[in-house]
């Protein structure tokens, strides 16, 4: 677990409306995404051996651990030699996985995490415990990202790709935490649609 000090406070109204916003969007998103999930579940099974979905432990708000759900984009033995940070043109990524990552379709199952309350629609991307500790040692203050719930999308996600450095992610995430508001949230949602449609920022 990670202990976070000086957690920024938000108004009760903002947090309540935001949670309702999360639930409505997650339910609507799952309903709309069901045909897409079915199609790409079949594609994943045809493309490589292994499961369609996978669970991975991540660090959430206030350092709480939870199981994140995603569509599988890498070979099943991708971490046989231990945890590794995904890079540009990572050879472990499958053919269908490259498309899923480019369009962020692999993130859709996380709508279930949003419904459960582990995540929000918008916030810092949740990292794995081993990387959270590693990045915090290299970049002191990295765990300040844990002041709020992690998000399916966020300011760092729409401004960078999978290969963004921890320093870049931290700068964007702390900017979001400082400035978060209904207006900022809507801006990120609109930019997320742009990323999904164009593939910009996703590598």
């Amino acid at each position: 677990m990670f202990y976070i000090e000086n957690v920024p406070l938000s108004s009760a109204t903002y947090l309540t409306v935001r949670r309702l916003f999360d639930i409505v969007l997650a339910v609507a998103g799952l309903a709309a995404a069901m045909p897409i999930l079915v199609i790409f579940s079949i594609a994943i099974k045809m493309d490589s051996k292994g499961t369609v979905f996978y669970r991975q432990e991540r660090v959430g708000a206030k350092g709480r651990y939870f199981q994140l759900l995603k569509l599988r984009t890498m070979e099943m033995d991708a971490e046989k030699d231990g945890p590794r940070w995904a890079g540009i043109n990572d050879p472990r990524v499958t053919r269908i996985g490259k498309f899923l990552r480019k369009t962020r379709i692999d993130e859709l199952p996380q709508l279930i995490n949003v419904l459960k309350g582990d995540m929000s629609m918008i916030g810092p991307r949740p990292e794995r415990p081993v990387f959270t500790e590693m990045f915090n040692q290299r970049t002191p203050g990295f765990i300040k990202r844990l002041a709020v719930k992690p998000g399916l999308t966020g300011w760092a996600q729409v401004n960078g790709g999978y290969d963004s450095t921890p320093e870049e992610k931290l700068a964007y995430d702390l900017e979001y935490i400082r400035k978060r508001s209904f207006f900022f949230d809507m801006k990120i949602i609109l930019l997320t649609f742009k990323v999904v449609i164009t593939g910009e920022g996703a590598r």
Side-chain angles (χ1 to χ4, degrees), residues 128-198:
R128 296 163 66 179
V130 61
F131 290 130
T132 298
E133 184 173 355
M134 181 189 305
F135 296 153
N136 194 58
Q137 291 176 354
R138 296 179 181 176
T139 309
F142 188 80
I143 59 172
K144 290 181 179 179
R145 301 166 72 251
L146 306 181
V148 299
K149 280 186 181 182
L152 182 60
T153 186
W155 191 228
Q157 293 92 294
V158 298
N159 281 286
Y162 282 96
D163 60 318
S164 295
T165 66
E167 292 80 8
E168 291 171 333
K169 287 186 176 183
L170 178 60
Y172 283 121
D173 289 334
L174 293 184
E175 181 183 1
Y176 171 70
I177 292 172
R178 289 195 307 270
K179 300 179 179 179
R180 63 181 185 153
S181 65
F182 294 118
F183 176 79
F184 202 0
D185 289 343
M186 293 311 300
K187 179 179 180 179
I188 293 171
I189 289 292
L190 292 175
L191 288 173
T192 299
F193 282 120
K194 180 182 178 182
V195 170
V196 170
I197 294 172
T198 67

Side-chain angles (χ1 to χ4, degrees), residues 8-61:
L9 298 177
S10 296
S11 71
T13 299
Y14 173 76
L15 293 177
T16 300
V17 174
R18 183 184 170 91
R19 180 56 185 154
L20 292 174
F21 176 79
D22 284 345
I23 293 172
V24 170
L25 279 189
V27 171
L30 282 171
M34 198 56 65
I36 297 175
L37 290 173
V38 170
I39 291 172
F40 283 102
S41 292
I42 295 172
I44 290 171
K45 292 297 290 186
M46 294 178 64
D47 184 51
S48 61
K49 294 181 180 180
T51 61
V52 170
F53 302 95
Y54 80 93
R55 294 177 182 275
Q56 193 174 68
E57 189 172 60
R58 297 292 177 99
V59 185

